[in-house]
Amino acid sequence: MKQAIYPGSFDPMTYGHLDVIKRASRMFDKLTVSVLNNDAKSPLFSVDERVKILKEATKDIKNVEIDSFSGLLVDYCREKDVHIIIRGLRAITDFEYELQTAQTNRKLSDDEVDTIFLTTSLEYSYLSSSSVKTIISFGGDISQFVPEFEVPLINAKYSEKRK
Ligand code: ADP
């Protein structure tokens, strides 16, 4: 069975992430989308909330599983017996970091884990979780960037923050 893991923060999940998920799910028998539990960042949504959102967004894609992990990605890959990581590439600005991370992961895994990059669809090339957060923090409309069901969830988080 051909399997891959698509790891990320997904905080919040955007149409850009969803596009990568849909495309990668067509290339593999099973795709695990996994939320990184990273204590260093102060997230908008908890890991459990992000898992729930990803589950809702992908409920119609049969071969996609949603999970979370902490620690080294290569250890998680080993645990799941998966040898391919999927990452999205938007612009040249993503490239340096992604290249370094991919090479580090290959080294750390003794060449057992490789990374495949999907280039962004043109319509989402500008889209990032942080721009969604910036727009909402100024009260802007994010409905073009995230699925409809996610808009009130993000809005509620920002209303809490403003209190
Ligand atoms: P990180 O994992 O670096 O915290 P994210 O959770 O925002 O970042 O993104 C996870 C992955 O999805 C990364 O590989 C990122 O490049 C990719 N990605 C994010 N937004 C888009 C987009 N609009 N188009 C394609 N790939 C994207």
Side-chain angles (χ1 to χ4, degrees):
M1 187 158 78
K2 271 197 301 176
Q3 293 194 64
I5 289 175
Y6 176 31
S9 304
F10 307 105
D11 189 41
M13 184 204 73
T14 69
Y15 278 136
H17 296 128
L18 212 45
D19 177 60
V20 171
I21 293 171
K22 283 182 186 155
R23 288 160 57 204
S25 72
R26 286 186 227 120
M27 298 171 188
F28 294 90
D29 299 314
K30 184 175 166 193
L31 177 71
T32 302
V33 181
S34 203
V35 178
L36 170 64
N37 191 348
N38 182 354
D39 294 336
K41 291 185 180 175
S42 66
L44 179 63
F45 288 113
S46 70
V47 170
D48 286 350
E49 288 169 327
R50 281 177 267 163
V51 164
K52 250 186 160 168
I53 288 168
L54 281 160
K55 277 189 177 162
E56 174 62 26
T58 59
K59 64 180 183 216
D60 295 329
I61 317 175
K62 294 277 170 288
N63 61 335
V64 169
E65 166 195 76
I66 311 298
D67 194 16
S68 64
F69 73 103
S70 38
L72 281 179
L73 178 57
V74 288
D75 289 340
Y76 175 67
C77 288
R78 244 184 233 130
E79 205 181 283
K80 299 216 94 94
D81 198 20
V82 173
H83 303 268
I84 296 172
I85 295 167
I86 298 292
R87 293 287 288 177
L89 274 184
R90 278 161 296 194
I92 197 77
T93 42
D94 281 339
F95 183 76
E96 209 170 316
Y97 168 77
E98 292 292 348
L99 178 71
Q100 193 183 24
T101 309
Q103 287 173 336
T104 306
N105 283 333
R106 197 154 77 220
K107 195 85 185 155
L108 276 177
S109 67
D110 292 327
D111 285 351
E112 282 196 7
V113 176
D114 237 312
T115 303
I116 293 181
F117 295 103
L118 292 188
T119 52
T120 179
S121 295
L122 270 184
E123 68 258 52
Y124 304 126
S125 57
Y126 62 89
L127 184 53
S128 69
S129 297
S130 49
S131 63
V132 168
K133 285 190 250 197
T134 306
I135 295 165
I136 196 89
S137 70
F138 291 114
D141 177 11
I142 53 164
S143 58
Q144 299 174 64
F145 311 128
V146 304
E148 210 180 326
F149 80 89
E150 205 183 0
V151 175
L153 302 176
I154 298 174
N155 274 321
K157 285 284 172 189
Y158 273 92
S159 315
E160 268 172 40
K161 275 191 174 198
R162 283 189 201 103
K163 274 182 199 159

